[in-house]
Amino acid sequence: QVQLVESGGGVVQPGGSLRLSCAASGFTFSSYGMHWVRQAPGKGLEWVAFIRYDGSNKYYADSVKGRFTISRDNSKNTLYLQMNSLRAEDTAVYYCAKDPGWHWGQGTLVTVSS
Amino acid sequence: DIQMTQSPSSLSASVGDRVTITCRASQGISNYLAWFQQKPGKAPKSLIYAASSLQSGVPSKFSGSGSGTDFTLTISSLQPEDFATYYCQQYNSYRWTFGQGTKVEIK
């Protein structure tokens, strides 16, 4: 069965960086686009970024464009989110999801605080 | 980006009630509409895709309808395990957008 496991969350100071990973199994990872979605504490769901199956195209929410980079390693069945210049408003649980969205990971918490 | 407007933002209902949640897209999205259920501390769970298709394993008390810009999620007979927050999501574009959520609480 499809399994997505995020890791890499933690506490980071404003202006800092963090890299999230999403390990995929149970499906042909290299055939599917992948998304990152986040949820701030007590708030709704916010789409963050998408990468096509082969990494050829990437799309970002305006709120993270220029600071976050989505990437993938199909040889390792792993999705990444490099987060730079982090702000307090980036504090959230970050989920990876397989396109078109039926399968999500359990999430990893990122806290940006001094 | 496509805006999704979900209503109501919260509702109180009793066990056995029929509940309807609506979602409106700012532009036509055909049937590229999904519904999710989320319980506290858990990841969203997919209930319905393509506006009206039930995900495998989801009970038939959940149903969806609509096309274009207007969509509904109906729970035919609310049970204790259904008290949760529900989100609509459009996937007409890779730039997904979500409704603001509907919290279903016990009356």
Side-chain angles (χ1 to χ4, degrees):
Chain A
Q1 71 282 18
V2 173
Q3 192 167 12
L4 299 168
V5 179
E6 302 93 339
S7 61
V11 180
V12 61
Q13 293 189 337
S17 298
L18 212 56
R19 189 176 85 155
L20 305 183
S21 299
C22 170
S25 60
F27 66 102
T28 305
F29 180 71
S30 59
S31 296
Y32 289 89
M34 296 292 296
H35 299 259
W36 287 100
V37 177
R38 68 185 180 182
Q39 186 171 36
K43 302 297 184 182
L45 300 167
E46 180 189 16
W47 173 81
V48 172
F50 169 77
I51 185 169
R52 286 178 62 90
Y53 68 98
D54 58 357
S56 59
N57 291 92
K58 306 172 185 181
Y59 304 91
Y60 298 92
D62 289 344
S63 57
V64 307
K65 197 176 299 181
R67 301 187 299 122
F68 290 12
T69 301
I70 189 171
S71 63
R72 64 191 299 159
D73 185 337
N74 285 346
S75 69
K76 295 182 178 179
N77 289 347
T78 302
L79 174 73
Y80 302 101
L81 185 68
Q82 177 67 43
M83 304 187 295
N84 298 332
S85 302
L86 282 161
R87 307 166 179 168
E89 54 265 35
D90 296 318
T91 294
V93 175
Y94 285 74
Y95 298 99
C96 63
K98 170 180 169 284
D99 194 67
W102 317 152
H103 300 96
W104 294 47
Q106 84 289 348
T108 187
L109 176 63
V110 172
T111 302
V112 184
S113 174
S114 54
Chain B
D1 288 355
I2 300 171
Q3 306 301 315
M4 305 301 293
T5 304
Q6 191 174 334
S7 62
S9 55
S10 65
L11 65 90
S12 295
S14 301
V15 172
D17 282 354
R18 179 183 180 92
V19 167
T20 298
I21 299 168
T22 64
C23 185
R24 173 166 289 177
S26 60
Q27 64 188 71
I29 57 170
S30 184
N31 68 336
Y32 294 102
L33 191 284
W35 290 97
F36 291 85
Q37 176 193 66
Q38 187 178 34
K39 296 182 178 179
K42 299 294 187 181
K45 173 188 174 184
S46 177
L47 298 176
I48 286 172
Y49 65 99
S52 59
S53 297
L54 212 59
Q55 287 285 359
S56 175
V58 173
S60 58
K61 61 182 170 180
F62 292 98
S63 63
S65 65
S67 183
T69 60
D70 294 305
F71 304 88
T72 61
L73 171 70
T74 300
I75 309 171
S76 61
S77 177
L78 207 61
Q79 297 303 304
E81 63 271 19
D82 302 329
F83 291 94
T85 300
Y86 294 84
Y87 293 94
C88 62
Q89 176 226 12
Q90 67 78 21
Y91 56 100
N92 180 69
S93 159
Y94 288 130
R95 304 175 66 89
W96 292 349
T97 46
F98 299 87
Q100 72 271 33
T102 296
K103 187 172 184 179
V104 177
E105 299 175 302
I106 300 173
K107 183 182 286 184

